[in-house]
Amino acid sequence: MDVTVLVLMLSLVAAHQEGPPVIKEHPSSVVARRNDPVTLNCAAAGAARIRWFRDGEEVVTSTQDPRSHRVLLPAGSLFFLRVTTTRKDSDTGTYWCVASNSYGATRSHNATLIVATLSNDFQRQAEPIVKTCIGDSISLPCQPPKGTPQPELTWFRDGRQVTNSSRVSVSQAGDLVINKVIKEDSATYVCRVRNAAGTRESTPTQLTAMIPPWFEERPSNITAPSGVVVELACRAQASPTPTVTWRRLDGKMPLGRARIDGQRLVLEQVETVDSGVYACEVENEAGIASAQATLTIVNAPQLLQRPQDIQVMAGKNAQISCQVEGRPQPLVMWRLPALDRTALLLPGLSRGHASVSDDGYTLMIEKASMQDSGTYHCWGVSNGGGVSVQAELIVVPSHPPPVIGVGPQDKTVAPGSDLTLPCEVVSEAAEATISWSYRPAFHLPPRQLSQDTVDPWISVLDNDALVIKNVRLDDSGIYTCRATADTGTVEQAAVLRVEPDASFIETLQLPAPPTKPRLMSMNQTAVLLSWLPNSQVTEEWGQWYTVEYWRQGWDEWRVADAVMMQESCVVSHLTPGHTYTFLVRAVNNRGASFPSPWSDPVTTELPRDPSLAVDQVRQAHHRLSHPIIILTDAAITAPHSVLLTWDFLASTDVSVEGVLVYSVTKTGTVQVATVLGTSSSSHLMHHLSSNTHYTFFMVPFWHSIEGTPSNSQSLTTPEDVPASAPGDVRITVREDSSVLIRWSHISAEDARGKLVGYKVTISYNGSQTTETVMKPWLEARSLLPGHLYTVRVAALTAAGPGPFSDPVLLDAGPNDAHIIHRGNVDSSGSVIYASPQPQWLVYLLIPLVLLVFMITLVYIRQLRKKASSSNPPQVSTIYQDPSIYPDQNSINMYGENKLWHPSESDKDSSVSSARLFHPHKQMNEYAEPRVQELDDSTELYVTTALLTPPSPNLNYNIPWQHQGDDSRVQVNWGAFLPPPPACPPPLDLDDLANGSNHQGPNKTSPDSQHDNNCRFEECERAYSDASEHTYDVYTQVMPVECQDGLLTFNTKLERDCRKVKVECHPSLSADPP
């Protein structure tokens, strides 16, 4: 079996080998670069020979021509040493191989050999620099170089490939199209093409998306005082960077004082001639933009008189003068040296013992005390700007004591000679008296010397010098010159020796005194003084200087340690915060000169915050001494608030910590708000008084240093309703039944505006009559006698009426009517009416309430027992539809045969009978009795009108009459008692059937609320909208046309109620009649 299978297989193989060749591998198309080696594969089974053909012609290989670059490989593949493409010879074409043997030939599939080429130059490309505007569309062309095969085209943006989007795309021709160019499209673009022959890139194109000029900040209108630096802001953006040009449209630009800082226009030391219209023009390649603003320069206040530093004794009056002028006239204020920043004094006002003159130029302090010492600021503000100067007031308990300018010196003289001892005293603060004393020895008591001395050879001259003629030996001793003044005492002693062999002493000339020392600078513990030598000093006289100084609390002058050869000196080791006075003497070999004039008081600086550098303080003082802020607007936002906006005239720096916002009234009321930082440019002032004239201004500050105030803005706040009601309401009832109502005025402060009149309301039982009068009185006529009215009065301004006064009762009845007295009776015999004293009413109501409560409990308990024992009544089927009238709406109000059912009109409507039990529904509905045949068992009953609360749309001005039994004066108890329920109870028909008298107060059924199905929260209280003290009262009245004499409930809305009319006739005269 195995041998047979093997034979069959060998037979099949032999049969197969005897056929034509079979192509095992067909050639594939190839794209190759020129001069690159390429192989076209071809493999066949059973082939004796393989040949290659190109475009129908047999390919000549190296076997046939050794010079050929085409080689036929043993396996049958065609190998190209290098592909060529020239005009003479090109390897490009369609190739196939043919395998053959003795049985036949087999042709392979076609394969294409393409020699790739790509030129170096683009046929069309974009410019190296392209500019376009944002929002425009642009196309960057790119026509690639010629090449085979067709090269692929790709765009790159800053080295990254561009992808197609809704806004950016590449056209069929290869152009890059960008729609609605944005700023981010600015970049470098390159068109890149590629095929098998290589890659080519276009010249890079720099695309710039230009932005037309637009303003981030436009110049705004500015009103500035003269003499300041004004900056007109103009900040614009554009791409490329624009050029900024400023022009003045209505005049010449102030050359020399105008410069451009960045894009802003800076005008220095502006004048009124600089007022005009200025335009900022911004231009670049994409376009041009322009904005303009108006500059208004007003004259700032001018300082005509600067205040001077003064020093006064405690208890004396001090006066500081400061004169400020300008157009418009500035408001002059004095800032007192207090931590309270509201310590401002306006002209004609005073605070404590400090007051300001009516013109504001003089600040007077009576009986100054040590606490009044400090720096006083004189501020002048107007809408043109502000000015600030300051003066130092030093209140001292005492002035410096006298100084002996030239005093006696030790002398040694011979007997018989004449001697003069000088004593010249300087006392600038108080007049001093000179006295001389003598004592032979130090341990002996002194003896006073004067013109009346017992020694005729000793005398005192008019210049207080002591003269001793014909000196004797017993004249030796100690001579003391003593100067006494209110400020202190000083003395100087000299020793006189009388010796027989003493030589003659020549009188030496002392140096001349220098000038008054001036303060150059100081700190906390040292001062730098400077002075000039006397004009009589010659150079050959060698001299130096000594400095003496005095401080508060010292009894004498002290000499500084240093000896100065120059005309300046630093006195150190001083105490911070103390006041010193200095003088200088010139000294040479002959002695010391007469003292110089005393310096002005110098107060050393207080210890400052160690965190503040000296340069910072100096810079802040310099920076804040000039106006740097301007108040641009003050707008009223509410009757009690104003919005302030401001601008800084120049860029702020660390020397400005914030601003103080001041509001000042004519009466001297000052409000100050602190706004920290310089980023804020507005502030809302709250809690202002209505109908008040305010002046607003601002003061920049840095720590405790306050700068120059800004310009001011003035306005008057709007009126408001009066804050209080008129008082002392008086009523006079006249014989002609007219009533005169008078009241007192309210103060101007409480009026909060201009009074335009008074609003008077006269109320009676919910009805109200309102009258507006101009004068503080009203004459009312046509009041019904025997009625009690309520009168209230309110003041009226343009903003509306204020609060009403307390209600005052007005009795329009006869003279014997019941009245309540309050206060005094006026001269005409009128009575001031007031609310009645309710003590008796309280005593009456308490037992009545308890009695009614007990009766109600008993009655409800009986009703519950009766209801549980009785059966439900039988009613007609037409009224028993549960869908329309639920069982709980059929209420047994009066017994077995007394039923309450909906009316016939409700049966055919969609209105549920539940409406009968909701009084807030604006309609009146009536219960109808069940119609039955009268028989012996039928009981009498009466229908009850269910009352709804009064509608707010109804007119309640119609008075209604209460028909009492014998009351002549009908009191509106609703103004004093709690209001009755809006749903009145039905009548007790048992009393009605018995013929009871129903005059007097209503008799309330205990289960009336249950029968009427009116819960307390559903019953609204009837009241008058015009008066919170009057109420609608439900009373029983007998109708004019009532059948069978049955009573029912009526209100003031019933037609049968008699109307009361009140007529008020204000008089036109100024005084009440």
Side-chain angles (χ1 to χ4, degrees):
M1 183 64 181
D2 293 337
V3 175
T4 304
V5 173
L6 181 60
V7 172
L8 291 176
M9 292 179 62
L10 292 175
S11 301
L12 290 174
V13 171
H16 179 71
Q17 290 179 350
E18 292 177 355
V22 177
I23 302 297
K24 297 294 184 179
E25 182 179 1
H26 295 271
S28 300
S29 299
V30 177
V31 177
R33 292 182 299 178
R34 185 170 50 184
N35 298 326
D36 284 354
V38 172
T39 301
L40 294 178
N41 295 323
C42 182
R49 179 182 179 187
I50 295 178
R51 294 175 297 167
W52 283 90
F53 294 85
R54 187 192 69 179
D55 297 335
E57 296 182 358
E58 186 175 355
V59 176
V60 177
T61 63
S62 60
T63 303
Q64 301 169 352
D65 185 1
R67 295 176 301 176
S68 176
H69 61 283
R70 305 176 187 92
V71 178
L72 181 62
L73 299 179
S77 298
L78 181 62
F79 175 72
F80 296 85
L81 296 175
R82 61 185 183 281
V83 294
T84 60
T85 172
T86 61
R87 295 181 179 180
K88 296 181 179 180
D89 187 14
S90 177
D91 293 328
T92 301
T94 301
Y95 290 82
W96 64 87
C97 63
V98 176
S100 60
N101 58 16
S102 58
Y103 295 100
T106 304
R107 177 178 172 175
S108 69
H109 299 162
N110 294 340
T112 303
L113 174 62
I114 300 176
V115 179
T117 60
L118 185 62
S119 301
N120 292 325
D121 299 330
F122 281 79
Q123 301 181 57
R124 188 167 59 93
Q125 60 180 342
E127 297 294 331
I129 297 177
V130 177
K131 295 182 179 181
T132 185
C133 292
I134 288 180
D136 294 346
S137 297
I138 191 173
S139 177
L140 300 180
C142 179
Q143 186 173 356
K146 295 180 179 179
T148 303
Q150 182 67 26
E152 297 179 359
L153 185 146
T154 306
W155 279 93
F156 289 86
R157 176 182 181 276
D158 289 338
R160 295 185 178 182
Q161 184 176 347
V162 176
T163 58
N164 289 340
S165 64
S166 59
R167 197 175 55 84
V168 180
S169 61
V170 179
S171 66
Q172 294 291 337
D175 299 342
L176 179 63
V177 178
I178 304 176
N179 297 317
K180 297 180 180 180
V181 175
I182 60 177
K183 183 178 180 180
E184 288 71 17
D185 292 332
S186 297
T188 300
Y189 292 85
V190 173
C191 178
R192 179 181 299 173
V193 294
R194 181 180 58 184
N195 64 5
T199 302
R200 303 288 185 269
E201 289 186 355
S202 65
T203 302
T205 299
Q206 181 64 45
L207 175 62
T208 302
M210 298 186 301
I211 303 175
W214 59 279
F215 289 99
E216 285 186 336
E217 182 181 5
R218 291 176 173 270
S220 57
N221 298 334
I222 293 179
T223 300
S226 59
V228 302
V229 178
V230 175
E231 294 183 358
L232 292 176
C234 180
R235 189 168 68 251
Q237 292 291 340
S239 180
T241 303
T243 58
V244 178
T245 304
W246 280 92
R247 306 180 188 276
R248 182 174 177 181
L249 304 182
D250 58 349
K252 294 182 179 180
M253 185 73 72
L255 301 178
R257 294 184 292 107
R259 58 184 174 86
I260 296 179
D261 183 7
Q263 295 181 342
R264 300 173 299 172
L265 177 64
V266 180
L267 301 176
E268 298 180 350
Q269 300 297 318
V270 292
E271 303 173 357
T272 54
V273 295
D274 297 333
S275 300
V277 180
Y278 293 80
C280 175
E281 295 181 356
V282 186
E283 183 179 6
N284 70 350
E285 299 179 33
I288 185 172
S290 177
Q292 62 186 32
T294 301
L295 174 63
T296 304
I297 304 300
V298 295
N299 288 326
Q302 299 295 322
L303 185 65
L304 301 183
Q305 179 183 359
R306 299 183 66 90
Q308 300 296 323
D309 297 339
I310 61 173
Q311 177 177 343
V312 297
M313 286 278 294
K316 302 295 183 180
N317 295 337
Q319 182 173 305
I320 306 175
S321 297
C322 170
Q323 187 173 357
V324 181
E325 294 289 346
R327 286 184 178 272
Q329 181 65 32
L331 174 63
V332 180
M333 296 167 290
W334 289 88
R335 170 81 158 81
L336 304 183
L339 295 178
D340 182 12
R341 284 170 168 165
T342 62
L344 280 181
L345 279 183
L346 274 66
L349 301 180
S350 62
R351 179 170 180 166
H353 52 274
S355 61
V356 179
S357 60
D358 293 338
D359 57 7
Y361 297 155
T362 304
L363 173 66
M364 297 162 288
I365 302 176
E366 296 182 358
K367 298 180 180 180
S369 62
M370 299 290 293
Q371 290 75 18
D372 296 322
S373 298
T375 303
Y376 289 78
H377 295 265
C378 175
W379 288 347
V381 296
S382 70
N383 60 1
V387 63
S388 174
V389 289
Q390 66 185 39
E392 192 78 18
L393 172 63
I394 301 175
V395 181
V396 296
S398 62
H399 285 299
V403 177
I404 297 180
V406 178
Q409 303 292 330
D410 295 343
K411 300 286 186 180
T412 302
V413 298
S417 60
D418 296 336
L419 177 65
T420 300
L421 297 177
C423 184
E424 298 182 18
V425 178
V426 178
S427 179
E428 296 186 4
E431 184 178 357
T433 59
I434 307 299
S435 63
W436 285 90
S437 64
Y438 164 75
R439 50 185 174 179
F442 182 78
H443 62 281
L444 298 178
R447 179 170 61 92
Q448 296 295 325
L449 302 176
S450 63
Q451 296 287 356
D452 301 331
T453 181
V454 295
D455 300 327
W457 63 90
I458 300 177
S459 62
V460 179
L461 302 180
D462 293 339
N463 61 357
D464 299 321
L466 182 67
V467 178
I468 304 176
K469 296 181 179 180
N470 194 13
V471 176
R472 300 180 303 176
L473 292 176
D474 56 357
D475 290 334
S476 298
I478 302 173
Y479 291 84
T480 302
C481 170
R482 183 182 181 87
T484 303
D486 294 339
T487 58
T489 301
V490 64
E491 62 182 23
Q492 183 172 338
V495 177
L496 175 61
R497 295 181 177 87
V498 181
E499 298 176 357
D501 56 350
S503 60
F504 175 75
I505 300 177
E506 180 182 2
T507 302
L508 301 178
Q509 185 178 4
L510 299 178
T515 61
K516 177 181 178 179
R518 295 181 298 113
L519 176 67
M520 305 304 294
S521 64
M522 69 174 177
N523 56 22
Q524 300 178 38
T525 60
V527 296
L528 173 61
L529 300 174
S530 176
W531 59 88
L532 296 176
N534 196 289
S535 59
Q536 300 178 1
V537 176
T538 59
E539 294 182 358
E540 61 265 16
W541 292 358
Q543 67 178 23
W544 59 93
Y545 300 96
T546 60
V547 176
E548 300 178 23
Y549 61 100
W550 175 85
R551 194 189 81 183
Q552 292 291 333
W554 290 356
D555 296 332
E556 60 183 2
W557 290 76
R558 299 181 182 180
V559 180
D561 295 338
V563 175
M564 286 67 63
M565 303 301 297
Q566 302 295 329
E567 286 76 18
S568 63
C569 171
V570 175
V571 182
S572 58
H573 303 293
L574 304 179
T575 304
H578 283 69
T579 302
Y580 293 86
T581 304
F582 300 89
L583 61 84
V584 182
R585 294 178 187 264
V587 183
N588 60 14
N589 296 328
R590 300 181 180 89
S593 70
F594 197 79
S596 68
W598 296 352
S599 68
D600 294 329
V602 177
T603 303
T604 54
E605 297 177 355
L606 292 172
R608 57 178 175 81
D609 188 349
S611 63
L612 303 179
V614 177
D615 293 340
Q616 287 181 318
V617 176
R618 186 182 300 109
Q619 180 184 7
H621 274 290
H622 176 74
R623 185 75 176 87
L624 297 178
S625 62
H626 304 284
I628 62 173
I629 190 173
I630 180 171
L631 182 60
T632 58
D633 188 32
I636 298 174
T637 59
H640 304 284
S641 59
V642 172
L643 179 63
L644 303 176
T645 56
W646 62 86
D647 289 324
F648 287 94
L649 298 178
S651 59
T652 57
D653 50 17
V654 294
S655 61
V656 178
E657 187 179 10
V659 294
L660 302 175
V661 183
Y662 280 85
S663 64
V664 182
T665 66
K666 293 182 178 180
T667 59
T669 303
V670 180
Q671 289 181 246
V672 183
T674 302
V675 180
L676 296 177
T678 58
S679 59
S680 299
S681 60
S682 63
H683 179 73
L684 187 63
M685 295 293 290
H686 294 283
H687 310 297
L688 303 177
S689 300
S690 56
N691 194 38
T692 305
H693 182 81
Y694 280 92
T695 299
F696 301 93
F697 63 94
M698 306 148 92
V699 177
F701 71 91
W702 184 80
H703 291 273
S704 60
I705 304 173
E706 297 181 4
T708 303
S710 70
N711 63 310
S712 63
Q713 295 276 355
S714 298
L715 55 83
T716 300
T717 54
E719 297 182 359
D720 202 353
V721 297
S724 62
D728 192 22
V729 180
R730 295 168 293 170
I731 298 175
T732 303
V733 181
R734 298 179 177 180
E735 296 180 356
D736 58 354
S737 300
S738 63
V739 177
L740 180 63
I741 307 171
R742 291 179 292 180
W743 54 88
S744 61
H745 293 279
I746 64 175
S747 64
E749 181 180 357
D750 290 339
R752 300 199 294 191
K754 182 180 179 182
L755 287 178
V756 297
Y758 298 88
K759 189 175 183 180
V760 185
T761 62
I762 302 177
S763 304
Y764 171 71
N765 274 5
S767 64
Q768 178 176 293
T769 300
T770 301
E771 189 71 26
T772 301
V773 294
M774 302 295 297
K775 303 297 181 180
W777 56 270
L778 171 66
E779 184 181 8
R781 297 181 180 273
S782 302
L783 298 179
L784 294 178
H787 290 72
L788 195 61
Y789 296 89
T790 301
V791 178
R792 296 189 304 164
V793 184
L796 189 65
T797 64
F804 279 90
S805 62
D806 293 334
V808 177
L809 294 180
L810 166 60
D811 185 5
N815 295 332
D816 58 349
H818 176 73
I819 58 176
I820 303 300
H821 297 269
R822 183 185 67 180
N824 299 324
V825 179
D826 61 8
S827 59
S828 63
S830 62
V831 180
I832 301 177
Y833 287 84
S835 303
Q837 303 298 326
Q839 288 86 351
W840 62 271
L841 187 60
V842 174
Y843 297 143
L844 178 63
L845 286 178
I846 290 177
L848 288 178
V849 170
L850 294 177
L851 180 60
V852 171
F853 179 75
M854 295 178 62
I855 295 175
T856 302
L857 290 178
V858 174
Y859 188 78
I860 291 176
R861 187 172 297 176
Q862 292 178 357
L863 280 181
R864 290 181 176 175
K865 292 180 179 180
K866 185 184 295 184
S868 61
S869 60
S870 62
N871 295 324
Q874 301 297 325
V875 298
S876 176
T877 57
I878 191 172
Y879 300 117
Q880 296 181 356
D881 186 357
S883 63
I884 301 179
Y885 306 107
D887 293 341
Q888 59 267 24
N889 290 340
S890 297
I891 300 175
N892 186 350
M893 300 176 58
Y894 308 107
E896 298 179 357
N897 298 324
K898 296 184 286 293
L899 298 180
W900 186 6
H901 297 287
S903 62
E904 292 291 343
S905 60
D906 290 337
K907 298 175 182 179
D908 298 330
S909 65
S910 61
V911 180
S912 172
S913 61
R915 297 169 58 188
L916 296 174
F917 308 102
H918 294 277
H920 59 273
K921 303 291 185 177
Q922 299 300 323
M923 62 183 300
N924 285 332
E925 297 183 358
Y926 297 87
E928 296 184 359
R930 178 180 177 183
V931 182
Q932 296 180 352
E933 294 293 337
L934 294 178
D935 54 15
D936 296 337
S937 63
T938 302
E939 298 179 2
L940 294 177
Y941 68 96
V942 65
T943 62
T944 302
L946 300 184
L947 303 177
T948 63
S951 172
N953 299 324
L954 296 179
N955 185 9
Y956 291 147
N957 294 329
I958 305 175
W960 61 281
Q961 183 178 4
H962 170 78
Q963 296 183 358
D965 48 353
D966 56 355
S967 299
R968 297 185 61 188
V969 179
Q970 300 182 9
V971 181
N972 180 12
W973 300 116
F976 311 100
L977 298 180
C983 300
L987 291 177
D988 192 340
L989 295 185
D990 294 337
D991 294 343
L992 182 64
N994 297 331
S996 300
N997 185 10
H998 293 276
Q999 298 180 2
N1002 293 337
K1003 191 172 182 181
T1004 305
S1005 174
D1007 57 350
S1008 59
Q1009 289 186 352
H1010 173 75
D1011 292 342
N1012 290 321
N1013 198 22
C1014 178
R1015 295 186 300 271
F1016 178 78
E1017 61 271 18
E1018 296 177 342
C1019 298
E1020 300 178 357
R1021 183 178 66 182
Y1023 64 96
S1024 171
D1025 293 338
S1027 173
E1028 62 182 0
H1029 301 283
T1030 59
Y1031 305 92
D1032 294 338
V1033 180
Y1034 292 94
T1035 60
Q1036 298 180 14
V1037 296
M1038 180 68 69
V1040 179
E1041 299 177 0
C1042 293
Q1043 298 179 2
D1044 302 330
L1046 296 178
L1047 290 176
T1048 183
F1049 278 88
N1050 277 316
T1051 65
K1052 62 180 181 179
L1053 301 180
E1054 283 292 331
R1055 299 179 179 177
D1056 298 331
C1057 294
R1058 187 152 53 93
K1059 300 180 180 179
V1060 180
K1061 183 179 182 182
V1062 179
E1063 296 182 1
C1064 299
H1065 302 281
S1067 177
L1068 300 179
S1069 61
D1071 299 325

